[in-house]
Amino acid sequence: MNELIISPSVLSLDYTNTKEQMKELNESKAKWLHFDVMDGHFVPNISFGPDILKAFKKGTDLFLDVHLMVSDPKFYAPIFIKAGADMIVFHTESQDNDLEKISSLLDEIKAQGVQCGFTVKPGTPIESFESLLSKVDMVLIMSVEPGFGGQSFMEDQLEKVKWLYNKRTELNLNYRIEIDGGINGDTYKKALEAGCDTLVAGSYVFKNDIKETIEGLLR
Ligand code: DX5
Ligand code: ZN
């Protein structure tokens, strides 16, 4: 059984108050920090480049969980690894859901000395990626359409979490199961029941008391 980890998404951090919010994060029970990279092409939004990740690397010892929502993760993964990523997760759709392409990109990321994983948009089924499960440190299930914080939790995505949970036992693997999008004081319970061990939470953490909210998710 993996330890429960909270990965606050800094997409929702209040950038007019970065120093104070980072201090609270560093003092909180969060062990990871979720860093959303959006290229304005794979998703209709633009977020952060590698220099911003470097700044977070300087300001925290938290494990940097990088979620690449970009059309060309093969190009960008090494750039974000160099900037300080500890985990790189990319979208299967960016690789045309092609098993060989995904597999070789996972190998490339691994070879650069960081953890790796893949993620699927809500409309992409998960079952066809079974053969890749032995290669990954984590699978991320999107419980909203990627691109924006503050959207509503898509409960039907928990079927994918349950499938991943059962496969992990069946195949005797130990990848993490992370969920991203719409996690709050109600939905996190459903995610945990379905088998998640890693919770991304953006607006819920940063629009409330950071430390207390994170502790609440661990309860
Ligand atoms: C959405 C991002 C999420 C986002 C989650 O595309 O991948 O990480 O920050 O935000 P909330 O928790 O507000 O749904
Ligand atoms: Zn994310």
Side-chain angles (χ1 to χ4, degrees):
M1 199 60 181
N2 287 327
E3 171 201 11
L4 174 59
I5 285 180
I6 311 300
S7 193
S9 170
V10 291
L11 193 63
S12 295
L13 191 138
D14 174 6
Y15 286 91
T16 62
N17 191 17
T18 310
K19 217 174 172 176
E20 182 53 37
Q21 297 226 314
M22 278 310 293
K23 184 171 174 283
E24 283 186 46
L25 263 190
N26 284 331
E27 290 169 1
S28 79
K29 294 214 162 102
K31 296 208 169 138
W32 288 19
L33 183 151
H34 185 83
F35 189 82
D36 287 306
V37 180
M38 305 180 185
D39 66 354
H41 186 254
F42 184 76
V43 290
N45 195 5
I46 296 177
S47 61
F48 319 108
D51 288 343
I52 307 294
L53 186 66
K54 278 187 203 158
F56 278 108
K57 185 80 182 172
K58 264 198 201 164
T60 183
D61 290 328
L62 295 172
F63 179 94
L64 300 178
D65 165 28
V66 174
H67 175 193
L68 294 181
M69 285 164 274
V70 301
S71 297
D72 194 353
K74 197 177 161 68
F75 178 79
Y76 283 107
I79 293 173
F80 283 91
I81 292 170
K82 206 165 159 236
D86 294 300
M87 161 84 78
I88 296 277
V89 170
F90 64 89
H91 276 267
T92 62
E93 301 88 358
S94 71
Q95 305 304 299
D96 310 315
N97 291 321
D98 180 292
L99 289 177
E100 269 175 43
K101 282 195 211 170
I102 300 165
S103 177
S104 82
L105 183 50
L106 289 169
D107 289 340
E108 272 177 47
I109 294 169
K110 258 320 231 220
Q112 292 170 73
V114 297
Q115 295 191 29
C116 68
F118 62 81
T119 179
V120 288
K121 288 184 181 179
T124 305
I126 189 82
E127 294 84 354
S128 57
F129 304 113
E130 179 171 342
S131 64
L132 300 173
L133 294 176
S134 62
K135 285 188 170 240
V136 296
D137 299 289
M138 187 166 84
V139 180
L140 165 58
I141 296 302
M142 290 305 300
S143 40
V144 297
E145 284 299 338
F148 299 91
Q151 303 180 74
S152 303
F153 188 71
M154 296 168 77
E155 206 168 324
D156 58 345
Q157 299 303 309
L158 293 176
E159 290 308 313
K160 295 180 189 172
V161 172
K162 289 179 195 160
W163 182 86
L164 283 168
Y165 184 87
N166 291 331
K167 277 291 160 200
R168 188 170 64 186
T169 311
E170 186 187 317
L171 302 172
N172 196 22
L173 296 170
N174 58 5
Y175 51 80
R176 289 194 154 271
I177 305 173
E178 184 178 57
I179 195 152
D180 183 7
I183 289 294
N184 60 35
D186 295 322
T187 56
Y188 89 100
K189 293 182 196 148
K190 295 178 184 170
L192 294 183
E193 268 165 34
C196 292
D197 49 40
T198 314
L199 304 177
V200 176
S203 42
Y204 182 57
V205 166
F206 292 101
K207 298 218 183 321
N208 291 295
D209 182 285
I210 294 175
K211 287 191 252 180
E212 271 178 26
T213 307
I214 291 169
E215 273 183 43
L217 291 172
L218 285 165
R219 245 176 256 133

